[in-house]
Amino acid sequence: MTDYVLDCSDIDQYLGKPVESSPLREPLGNNDIRRWVHAMHYPNLLHYDPAYAAESRWGKLVAPQSFPIVMDESHGTAGACVGCIPNSHLLFAGDEFWHYGPRVFGGDTLTNERIPYDYVVKETGFGPTCFQRGDNFYRNQHGELIAKQRSTALRYNAAAGGAAVNPDDFDEPEWSDEELDELEERKFAWIQMMHDIGHKERWWDDVSIGDHLPERVFGPHTVASFTTEWRSYLFTIWGTIDRRKLDIAALGFTEEMAGHENDPVMERINPELTDGAYIGPSRGHLFPKYARKIGMPRAYGYGASMGAWVTDYLAGWAGEHGMVVHSIANYRGPALSGDVTIQTAEVIDKQVDDEGRHIVQVKHLMQNQKGVKMCLGTAEIALPKRPE
């Protein structure tokens, strides 16, 4: 495996050049927003309850800040996986987000400008591994920039992935009824925190360095919950986006890997062959047999969802008058079926930025019930300052 050479030369021709994206055929609907927060385990009333949302600062249902990736046919990875690397697999490795203020509502139409950014090859447990980055610029129908996402993909020798699987991890953990009851109590503590803040402000003045955000717990994850995640991404629903201009070759998947996943011609002939839930590189998320081919012991969640979990966790704490303005999420391990996800964060700084915003900086961590790190990073959250 050490003699394997990762040929990344095909990537060079795409760097700095926009990659064609597939536009939504209809404007977004409120049920698209509801489906998303349902799948992301994010029961914030702002995003699904019309009576509650009507009393908010927006006066109607509003999408969470994590929402823009819903409309992209690769949930933000396209710019990070262009170029053919022979005999390789890909995993989503992280996100950096900048949020600029405009929010998304039912009736909006979003577009995404995708530009491959850079790549570097490093040695990892998979052998030579390409760390490839790409930028996404999400805009609404008015041309307003909602968010910028810089995503990172890992691309490595396909054979190395299968060799890395530990058979001892094939079986899901078993949870007793008592343990599941305790988990439900921990889950609801986070939900209760959002109920308690309601439409009120979380004042910057009341937050101190060293404060710990309440934990957020969800799971155990299952194939059913991962499927719910998958179907909340609009590109996974037949005919939702116009793929006619999509260059499959530019996305870096060999025919053996991708089959007809995302193929605009085949979608009109037999759409089941284009559905990544069943066929193609995405099916490893739901089928352990294929998960093990790329280094996962059993069914596993989506990297883009993990990035959304980070944003939702911080935004839920900030309340409707706060906003996540920047975040970094470095993925270290997947959400596996049978496992629980636990999120925590600590305030590490307070500042007033160049735009006059009152910023709280946090260090966040996502891990499973065994303490295995899944994601870590930092983020900046703008909070309102208490009036003098």
Side-chain angles (χ1 to χ4, degrees), residues 44-81:
N44 188 327
L45 290 165
L46 288 169
H47 311 309
Y48 70 92
D49 185 88
Y52 183 88
E55 298 177 354
S56 73
R57 58 182 295 196
W58 297 284
K60 59 182 177 180
L61 282 178
V62 59
Q65 288 189 248
S66 62
F67 188 77
I69 58 173
V70 168
M71 54 73 57
D72 182 64
E73 82 264 5
S74 60
H75 38 56
T77 60
C81 65

Side-chain angles (χ1 to χ4, degrees), residues 182-387:
E182 181 185 355
L183 283 176
E184 289 303 321
E185 291 182 9
R186 293 172 68 186
K187 291 181 196 178
F188 188 70
W190 164 256
I191 298 171
Q192 186 63 59
M193 182 275 297
M194 291 193 293
H195 290 329
D196 290 343
I197 192 172
H199 298 299
K200 302 187 297 292
E201 293 88 349
R202 184 178 298 282
W203 300 112
W204 179 82
D205 314 67
D206 297 336
V207 177
S208 300
I209 295 174
D211 286 353
H212 290 264
L213 277 61
E215 71 168 5
R216 180 191 184 200
V217 178
F218 50 94
H221 302 287
T222 64
V223 170
S225 68
F226 294 151
T227 305
T228 302
E229 287 181 41
W230 178 249
R231 288 292 177 236
S232 68
Y233 290 97
L234 294 182
F235 76 91
T236 71
I237 303 170
W238 298 348
T240 303
I241 61 175
D242 185 353
R243 290 189 170 96
R244 287 176 295 178
K245 294 183 179 180
L246 183 63
D247 184 355
I248 299 295
L251 296 183
F253 297 119
T254 62
E255 184 175 349
E256 179 183 3
M257 283 180 59
H260 292 286
E261 185 172 340
N262 286 327
D263 186 327
V265 176
M266 183 58 71
E267 186 177 47
R268 300 188 67 189
I269 300 170
N270 183 357
E272 288 199 351
L273 296 182
T274 73
D275 192 327
Y278 312 125
I279 296 174
S282 298
R283 63 183 164 178
H285 289 282
L286 305 181
F287 295 91
K289 171 184 175 180
Y290 296 103
R292 289 164 191 158
K293 290 180 180 295
I294 65 167
M296 297 297 172
R298 50 188 189 269
Y300 64 104
Y302 300 89
S305 298
M306 291 175 63
W309 297 344
V310 170
T311 303
D312 292 343
Y313 172 54
L314 302 176
W317 172 80
E320 69 180 68
H321 298 278
M323 185 179 79
V324 180
V325 297
H326 175 247
S327 63
I328 297 173
N330 297 310
Y331 307 153
R332 292 291 182 265
L336 295 173
S337 61
D339 284 353
V340 166
T341 292
I342 304 164
Q343 291 181 269
T344 55
E346 179 184 358
V347 178
I348 58 173
D349 196 13
K350 291 178 65 177
Q351 56 190 266
V352 179
D353 70 7
D354 294 339
E355 298 180 35
R357 298 177 298 188
H358 289 76
I359 301 295
V360 168
Q361 186 180 51
V362 302
K363 177 174 63 176
H364 63 83
L365 173 65
M366 184 186 301
Q367 54 191 336
N368 68 13
Q369 73 279 1
K370 295 181 179 179
V372 176
K373 290 181 175 61
M374 300 164 59
C375 176
L376 50 87
T378 58
E380 287 75 49
I381 305 165
L383 295 177
K385 178 171 173 54
R386 189 185 299 276

